């Protein structure tokens, strides 16, 4: 048969299995230090693994979800992601109680934001979820009531403040993504997604502006990415849809997975798209724009079946998309793959 | 026995507590409630058999939650459970009515939840079951579970209702016209589903998850070895002092307040159910159960308040009831009858 594009590499061992949560893998590359860091949520704790480029050295760290003021119940983490800003990198954790921000190695907590329980209707789950660095200056985090909190991050220190609260979503935020490539004019540089499947495209700055709203079609959007003005959205019915960020127009529809999609990622230098779902499959696709017609195109490159695993996290490990990593529910390792 | 257990489980007060919006119980709290329910009739189980029964229930339910095609299907699984229970008590209209009442409450409370909300419920349940890999004979035999304790996830069969079979890519121009169409293939072999399961009080659920695993005679062995190391992370939860003891005890007091324990005595002959083939095997299992897999039922001595302690002593009281007279019915028959309830 045709030669497979990627082959499996040595896994990274974790101390416990990953939780079945959307976008449950974050990867930070430190090329200057020949290191890659991986983090996956396990429930009340986060596993952070640093791996040397030669694949031989590993160090592990565990971070715990911070309890609320009155420790009446343990808190569960919903997501964790590294936010890369021009002057610093923060590791952001979201939980049922609030938002924790650490220095990138997880050594020091620099900021804690408690969720206001009274803002939520009684008997509803309360949590923060959806994390992205945006506009070279902000970290945006979503909440279960549909709010998006915009945090203004100083180049160093702990003087982090809430600069704005975006109130366009009526359902729990699932994912937030910033433009990873070059935005065409008027395309905006941030997209937010929610449980109902509604997407909002924003332009960031002192004041964020809503540019377009992409309506839901009946399924949760669990993961979203923005690249060169193209919104890539993964849904609960297994579809990936591509939209123009500037106008909100649908440009492509892919019957990609047989189960709920849990993670999408984009390799910004090549436009490769990665998708992972509960159906055990991870797919690699190629996004492009036809220079003559300006039509958006997507083609399938590679299918990987992660046997007996419901994939919950998938990320490229380099900007070209020559390697990627995968986490799965109950799987106590991070699977890695690279170009054959 | 069946009537007693079902009556106790579906009594109004207990159901009222369950339907209150609340956090998921801790493993200890759930196990305590389970122990209590299992003693709602004249039947008794020793620690080892109780542990095994709980293991079977846990792994079976984990399987059902994990394999739901759509998150909303966890409601269909629950309806399958209730349909089977209604069949067990079909000759007792009073108890049947209780179950139907709960059925109606489930429909009223959950029918309007969105798919995203159901997925959150499912994800929360999956966190509860994380790192549990006890091997169950019937699952191993049916090739539903691997020898490493992981469940088999098929990549063939019907896709969930509302999902398309993977393969088609459609691209549109700015006017919304389809301008290109391509297909991709994978090792998966999926087909379109025929119909959706019913969410009404009566109806064909279509989904087989949650139906009686033991409708044909089946083995009930479970295997511990190899499961213990993955539970190391959870060992801490059982051994470290529990700062939530007070909150949990309050919850338990409310839950258990509605559960009446039945004491054998008088003209009723109690019997002891043993899930192992001999009494010696049961004793051996109790002695050799790995530490990480032992379920520590809540220790009421952990509470400091004398008033609370006294009240709980009254409610929890005699979990150690006097052993009923020996003379259990044929082990096979009692075992099958009880297993039908899973």
């Amino acid at each position: 048969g045709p030669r497979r594009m990627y082959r499996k590499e040595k896994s990274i061992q974790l101390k416990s299995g990953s939780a079945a949560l959307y976008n449950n893998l974050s990867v930070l590359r430190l090329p200057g230090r020949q290191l890659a860091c991986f983090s996956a949520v396990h429930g009340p704790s986060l596993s952070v693994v640093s791996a040397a480029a030669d694949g031989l050295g590993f160090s592990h760290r565990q971070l715990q979800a911070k309890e609320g003021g009155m420790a009446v119940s343990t808190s569960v983490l919903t997501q964790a992601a590294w936010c890369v800003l021009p002057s610093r990198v923060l590791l952001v954790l979201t939980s049922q109680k609030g938002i924790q921000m650490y220095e990138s190695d997880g050594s020091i907590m620099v900021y804690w934001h408690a969720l206001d329980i009274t803002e939520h209707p009684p008997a509803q789950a309360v949590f923060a979820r959806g994390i992205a660095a945006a506009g070279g200056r902000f970290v945006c985090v979503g909440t279960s009531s549909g709010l998006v909190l915009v945090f203004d991050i100083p180049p160093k220190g702990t003087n982090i403040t809430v600069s704005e609260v975006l109130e366009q979503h009526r359902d729990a935020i699932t994912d937030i993504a910033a433009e990873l490539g070059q935005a065409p004019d008027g395309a905006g540089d941030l997209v937010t997604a929610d449980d109902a499947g509604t997407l909002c495209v924003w332009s960031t700055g002192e004041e964020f502006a809503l540019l377009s709203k992409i309506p839901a079609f009946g399924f949760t959007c669990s993961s979203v990415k923005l690249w060169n003005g193209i919104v890539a959205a993964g849904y609960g019915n297994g579809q990936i849809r591509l939209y123009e960020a500037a106008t909100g127009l649908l440009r492509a529809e892919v019957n990609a997975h047989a189960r709920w999609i849990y993670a999408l990622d984009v390799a910004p230098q090549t436009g490769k798209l990665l998708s992972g779902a509960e159906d055990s499959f991870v797919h690699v696709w190629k996004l492009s724009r036809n220079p003559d017609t300006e039509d958006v195109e997507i083609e399938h490159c590679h299918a990987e079946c992660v046997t007996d695993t419901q994939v919950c996290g998938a990320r490229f490990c380099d900007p070209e998309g020559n390697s990627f990593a995968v986490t799965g529910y109950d799987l106590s390792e991070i699977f890695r793959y690279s170009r054959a | 026995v069946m009537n007693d257990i079902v009556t106790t489980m579906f009594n109004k007060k207990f159901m009222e507590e369950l339907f209150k919006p609340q956090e998921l119980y801790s493993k200890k709290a759930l196990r305590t409630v389970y122990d209590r329910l299992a003693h709602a009739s004249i039947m008794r189980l020793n620690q080892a058999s109780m542990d095994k029964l709980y293991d079977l229930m846990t792994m079976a339910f984990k399987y059902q939650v994990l394999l739901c095609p759509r998150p909303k299907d966890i409601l269909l699984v629950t309806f399958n459970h209730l349909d089977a229970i209604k069949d067990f008590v079909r000759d007792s209209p009073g108890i049947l009515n209780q179950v139907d009442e709960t059925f109606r409450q489930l429909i009223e409370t959950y029918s309007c939840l969105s798919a995203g909300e159901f997925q959150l419920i499912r994800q929360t349940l999956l966190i509860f079951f994380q790192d549990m890999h006890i091997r169950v004979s019937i699952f191993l035999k049916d090739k539903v579970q691997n020898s490493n304790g992981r469940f088999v996830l098929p990549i063939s069969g019907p896709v969930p209702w509302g999902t398309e079979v993977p393969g088609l890519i459609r691209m549109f121009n700015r006017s919304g016209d389809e301008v290109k169409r391509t297909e991709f293939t994978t090792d998966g072999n999926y087909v379109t589903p025929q119909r959706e399961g019913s969410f009404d009080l009566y109806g064909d659920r279509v989904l087989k998850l949650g139906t009686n695993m033991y409708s044909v005679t089946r083995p009930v062995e479970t295997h511990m070895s190899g499961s213990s190391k993955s539970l190391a992370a959870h060992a801490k939860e059982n051994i470290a002092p529990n700062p939530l003891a007070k909150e949990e005890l309050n919850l338990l007091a409310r839950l258990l307040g509605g559960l009446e324990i039945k004491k054998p005595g008088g003209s009723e002959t109690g019997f002891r159910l043993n899930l192992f083939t001999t009494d010696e095997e049961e004793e051996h299992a109790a002695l050799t159960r790995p530490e990480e897999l032992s379920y520590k039922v809540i220790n009421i001595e952990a509470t400091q308040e004398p008033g609370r302690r006294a009240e709980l002593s009254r409610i929890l009281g005699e979990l150690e009831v006097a052993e009923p007279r020996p003379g259990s019915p044929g082990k096979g028959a009692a075992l099958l009858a009880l297993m039908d309830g899973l």
Side-chain angles (χ1 to χ4, degrees):
Chain A
R3 202 168 64 125
R4 291 174 58 74
M5 205 186 227
Y6 294 83
R7 56 148 195 264
K8 196 165 183 297
E9 305 280 8
K10 193 165 180 303
S11 309
I12 297 173
Q13 295 303 314
L14 293 170
K15 296 212 166 30
S16 46
S18 299
L21 298 167
Y22 307 139
N23 307 301
N24 192 6
L25 175 64
S26 185
V27 177
L28 177 69
R29 247 178 25 118
L30 299 167
R33 293 174 55 200
Q34 291 286 298
L35 264 188
C37 302
F38 303 81
S39 66
V41 171
H42 166 66
S45 65
L46 177 75
S47 291
V48 181
V49 182
S50 303
D54 59 6
L56 293 180
F58 295 103
S59 75
H60 292 254
R61 172 178 248 139
Q62 286 226 308
L63 297 180
Q64 302 298 322
K66 184 171 150 64
E67 299 302 324
M70 307 285 285
V72 290
S73 57
T74 52
S75 181
V76 162
L77 290 170
T78 56
Q79 201 186 350
W82 274 287
C83 291
V84 178
L85 293 163
S87 53
R88 70 199 293 192
V89 176
L90 291 177
L91 176 56
V92 180
L93 279 61
T94 51
S95 73
Q96 294 171 322
K97 294 288 188 291
I99 301 154
Q100 296 155 249
M101 298 192 190
Y102 293 81
E103 296 295 3
S104 65
D105 63 356
S107 56
I108 307 164
M109 180 158 27
V110 298
Y111 183 71
W112 159 247
H113 178 97
L115 282 178
D116 185 359
I117 312 283
T118 59
E119 256 172 26
H120 295 76
Q124 293 276 23
V126 176
F127 53 87
R129 185 176 59 187
I131 304 166
R137 184 180 151 192
F138 305 104
V139 165
C140 300
V141 179
T143 72
S144 47
S145 59
L147 300 178
V148 176
L149 304 172
V150 179
F151 294 94
D152 199 336
I153 314 289
K156 58 183 184 205
T158 59
N159 189 23
I160 293 168
T161 55
V162 177
S163 105
E164 202 174 348
V165 178
L166 308 175
E167 293 182 48
Q168 282 294 329
H169 291 274
R170 287 202 307 260
D171 300 273
I173 303 296
T174 46
D175 196 16
I176 304 176
E179 170 64 68
L180 291 173
Q182 301 291 327
D185 288 337
D189 57 341
L190 187 80
V191 60
T192 52
D194 69 27
D195 243 2
T198 304
L199 302 165
C200 291
V201 181
W202 309 82
S203 70
T204 63
E206 286 283 334
E207 268 182 40
F208 281 43
L210 177 72
L211 296 181
S212 65
K213 205 167 192 176
I214 299 166
F217 63 95
F219 292 94
T220 300
C221 175
S222 36
S223 194
V224 73
K225 282 287 171 296
L226 180 56
W227 178 75
N228 289 6
I230 302 169
V231 173
Y235 293 88
N237 69 342
Q239 274 192 346
I240 295 173
R241 291 193 174 193
L242 304 179
Y243 304 89
E244 295 269 19
T247 57
L249 282 175
L250 176 68
R251 299 312 300 270
E253 198 177 292
V254 184
N255 295 341
H257 289 275
R259 291 280 192 283
W260 203 285
I261 291 177
Y262 263 57
L264 290 183
D265 198 16
V266 164
Q269 290 191 12
T270 54
K272 283 219 171 69
L273 175 72
L274 186 68
S275 65
E278 284 179 346
D279 64 353
S280 306
F281 279 89
V282 173
H283 291 293
V284 181
W285 318 82
K286 181 82 165 33
L287 300 181
S288 59
R289 264 200 206 271
N290 186 310
D292 304 321
T293 62
E294 290 216 341
D295 281 340
V296 172
E297 302 205 337
I298 176 169
E299 78 178 277
H300 184 255
C301 301
H302 177 85
E304 191 67 48
C305 180
V306 190
T307 311
D308 297 335
T309 303
Q310 293 197 352
V311 174
C312 55
R315 294 270 187 183
F316 283 116
C317 298
D318 65 277
E320 290 90 19
N322 291 328
S323 58
F324 61 90
V326 172
T327 53
Y329 170 65
D330 241 4
L331 194 64
S332 38
E333 22 185 353
I334 299 175
F335 286 146
R336 291 197 287 182
Y337 304 83
S338 59
R339 284 293 292 268
Chain B
V1 168
M2 196 64 87
N3 283 358
D4 283 344
I5 293 176
V6 177
T7 303
T8 304
M9 233 173 99
F10 288 86
N11 93 51
K12 199 163 168 173
K13 201 160 163 234
F14 184 58
M15 279 299 147
E16 244 167 48
E17 277 304 321
L18 287 185
F19 271 87
K20 285 183 186 163
Q22 58 198 289
E23 299 288 332
L24 192 61
Y25 314 135
S26 69
K27 293 193 165 92
K28 277 191 280 191
L30 182 65
R31 175 57 199 264
T32 305
V33 173
Y34 195 79
D35 271 12
R36 186 73 188 219
L37 279 174
H39 288 85
S41 71
I42 54 169
M43 183 185 68
R44 289 291 174 271
L45 293 99
N46 281 346
Q47 178 77 357
S49 283
M50 193 65 230
D51 284 347
K52 181 194 259 200
L53 186 60
Y54 189 76
D55 287 344
L56 281 168
M57 184 280 290
T58 308
M59 291 307 291
F61 190 51
K62 178 177 183 176
Y63 174 68
Q64 290 162 17
V65 172
L66 187 65
L67 264 82
C68 273
R70 300 171 301 178
K72 191 177 181 182
D73 292 336
I74 56 177
L75 197 53
L76 281 182
V77 166
T78 306
F79 290 170
N80 273 334
H81 293 168
L82 291 187
D83 287 342
I85 290 170
K86 279 166 66 173
D87 193 52
F88 297 146
V89 297
R90 63 183 175 275
D91 296 331
S92 314
I95 309 173
L96 198 55
N97 212 19
Q98 268 180 272
V99 182
D100 268 340
E101 193 43 52
T102 301
F103 219 120
R104 274 181 225 110
Q105 245 189 309
L106 279 168
I107 292 173
E108 193 187 304
T109 310
Y110 292 99
S111 292
C112 52
L113 287 195
S114 68
E117 286 169 312
F118 270 115
Q119 183 67 292
L120 185 65
I121 292 173
R122 181 171 170 273
Q123 290 174 338
T124 308
L125 288 171
L126 288 177
I127 289 176
F128 184 90
F129 291 124
Q130 230 167 291
D131 300 319
M132 287 185 191
H133 302 295
I134 294 166
R135 288 157 5 242
V136 176
S137 280
I138 182 177
F139 286 148
L140 294 171
K141 195 150 169 284
D142 288 350
K143 304 245 183 295
V144 140
Q145 190 180 25
N146 294 319
S147 53
N148 64 2
R150 271 26 182 219
F151 289 119
V152 172
L153 301 183
I155 57 170
S156 60
V159 288
W161 191 261
T163 293
E164 300 290 333
V165 171
L168 184 61
I169 302 175
R170 302 167 68 202
M171 287 162 270
F172 309 93
N173 64 16
R174 288 217 165 96
S175 314
D177 309 313
E178 184 185 306
V179 292
K180 194 169 176 189
R181 181 182 271 236
T182 61
E183 297 244 9
F184 70 96
T185 55
T186 65
D187 292 337
N189 184 13
Y190 297 102
V191 295
T192 325
Q194 290 200 342
R195 60 190 189 283
E196 191 183 11
S198 162
F199 287 86
D200 296 326
L201 194 57
Y202 300 97
D204 178 8
R205 312 293 172 203
V206 179
L207 192 67
K208 292 287 164 266
L209 290 172
T211 54
N212 192 348
M213 286 161 48
Y214 293 94
S215 48
V216 177
T217 308
R218 304 294 212 117
V220 292
E221 293 98 66
T222 54
H223 309 275
M224 304 292 138
S225 66
S227 313
S228 46
K229 65 178 188 299
S230 41
L231 275 175
H234 280 273
K236 278 206 173 91
E237 194 200 330
N238 286 331
I239 295 164
N242 186 0
L244 318 172
K246 183 175 174 187
E247 177 76 7
E248 269 185 329
L249 289 169
N250 285 340
L251 161 74
L252 272 182
R254 287 196 304 271
L255 271 179
L256 299 175
L259 297 180
E260 263 187 43
I261 214 170
K262 191 144 189 167
K263 276 189 272 193
S267 56
E268 278 182 17
T269 313
F271 71 95
R272 188 173 66 78
L273 179 71
N274 180 356
L275 266 72
F276 298 83
T277 30
T278 63
D279 286 348
E280 290 71 35
E281 210 186 285
E282 187 185 46
E283 245 177 69
H284 179 75
L287 294 168
T288 57
R289 190 175 180 89
E291 177 60 26
E292 316 81 271
L293 294 176
S294 69
Y295 299 105
K296 292 188 168 50
V297 174
I298 294 223
N299 179 9
I300 58 172
E301 268 68 57
T303 182
Q304 299 304 308
E305 286 180 275
R308 173 63 68 204
R309 222 171 117 173
E311 192 191 327
L312 275 169
S313 291
R314 186 182 58 76
I315 295 173
L316 286 169
E318 316 80 12
L319 271 180
E320 289 91 43
V321 283
E323 283 282 33
R325 279 202 323 266
S328 35
K331 288 202 193 304
L335 195 67
L336 284 176
L338 195 272
M339 287 296 100
D340 273 356
L342 266 183

